[in-house]
Amino acid sequence: MPTVEVTDLKDGDFLLDVREDDEWQAGHAEGALHIPISDFVARYGELTEAAPQDGRVHVICRSGGRSAQVTMYLVQQGLDAVNVGGGMQVWAAAGRPVVTDDGRPGQVV
């Protein structure tokens, strides 16, 4: 399973958040694309439209389990996708910003 650490991510890297709506609303990485794992196959086209051509998709969830499943699926589809180890919990612990939709500070639930 291709995996990267939160500390390996750079500003501007394409981030796909696969957590559910309530988790996203509590707080997320600014600029991430949100497609919940429960809707992922039906909304796959949104990812292919938003993802950079020939770019890497960094997949994140709360702790790394759901994002690992989506990463495996994307790799099988031929995309350059990697799982973000430790997910949003490690993201927040590393001091990376977590925001709500209106830009206020958020939290990982």
Side-chain angles (χ1 to χ4, degrees), residues 11 21 26 30 43 52 55 60 67 70 73 78 81 104:
D11 289 344
D21 288 335
E30 190 172 6
R43 294 177 57 189
I60 197 165
S67 54
V70 172
Y73 175 81
R104 291 183 301 175

Side-chain angles (χ1 to χ4, degrees), residues 31-86:
L33 173 65
H34 177 232
I35 303 177
I37 192 170
S38 59
D39 297 338
F40 189 75
V41 174
R43 294 177 57 189
Y44 178 74
E46 291 177 43
L47 170 65
T48 58
E49 287 179 20
Q53 292 290 57
D54 299 321
R56 176 168 279 179
V57 176
H58 299 84
V59 188
I60 197 165
C61 67
R62 182 173 185 267
S63 61
R66 290 171 287 180
S67 54
Q69 293 175 26
V70 172
T71 298
M72 295 280 285
Y73 175 81
L74 294 176
V75 168
Q76 290 172 350
Q77 303 308 308
L79 274 72
D80 180 7
V82 293
N83 187 34
V84 178

